[in-house]
Amino acid sequence: LTCKAGADGAWRQALPPVAASTVAFSLTFASSNSSAERAELHNVLFGDVYLCSGQSNMEFAMPAEANASAEIAAADAYPHIRIFSVGHRTSSATPLRDLQTVWEPWQVASRATIAKDFTPHSHLFATFSAVCWHF
């Protein structure tokens, strides 16, 4: 597939329909102008994407869950789920080219990734939503 960047340097490439996958893909992007301009994405799955959003109750963290140890341990059974969390300072009435804040980059769901706590004094509210996990 090929595409051309606009005057602002941005480009978009529509992908053909791809069936949901459990086998990860790698995507490579390269400039036709320079062999040094190259980027790769690894461990990419295709399938449904669910977005969770809301107010502060959406930040109820896994460590604060009533059955936290069992829920956290069970996460390793779902290697085909990817998680991602946008930070509080990303807000816009118009589409953005880039997010203003990212708390959690795209990553595989696991006991390590769903139980992270980046708050300095509390485990009740963290970056990954227990509410979303139960969805």
Side-chain angles (χ1 to χ4, degrees):
L1 302 172
T2 61
C3 67
K4 186 173 181 170
D8 63 354
W11 58 271
R12 290 180 187 261
Q13 176 62 59
L15 298 176
V18 177
S21 64
T22 57
V23 175
F25 290 84
S26 290
L27 302 177
T28 302
F29 310 91
S31 170
S32 60
N33 296 333
S34 166
S35 61
E37 292 183 287
R38 182 181 181 92
E40 295 183 28
L41 295 174
H42 299 284
N43 206 2
V44 177
L45 296 179
F46 291 92
D48 294 335
V49 175
Y50 294 90
L51 301 176
C52 296
S53 68
Q55 297 180 344
S56 61
N57 62 328
M58 292 300 290
E59 291 180 16
F60 187 75
M62 290 305 292
E65 181 75 31
N67 194 15
S69 58
E71 290 293 339
I72 291 167
D76 287 340
Y78 300 99
H80 302 115
I81 292 178
R82 303 294 187 262
I83 61 173
F84 175 80
S85 295
V86 176
H88 286 175
R89 291 186 303 273
T90 296
S91 176
S92 179
T94 60
L96 299 171
R97 281 191 66 188
D98 215 350
L99 296 172
Q100 296 158 336
T101 55
V102 173
W103 276 351
E104 296 273 351
W106 281 101
Q107 56 195 320
V108 175
S110 70
R111 69 177 57 221
T113 58
I114 72 164
K116 285 183 182 174
D117 182 8
F118 292 106
T119 57
H121 305 294
S122 170
H123 69 277
L124 295 179
F125 295 94
T127 60
F128 183 69
S129 172
V131 177
C132 288
W133 183 253
H134 291 297
F135 174 71

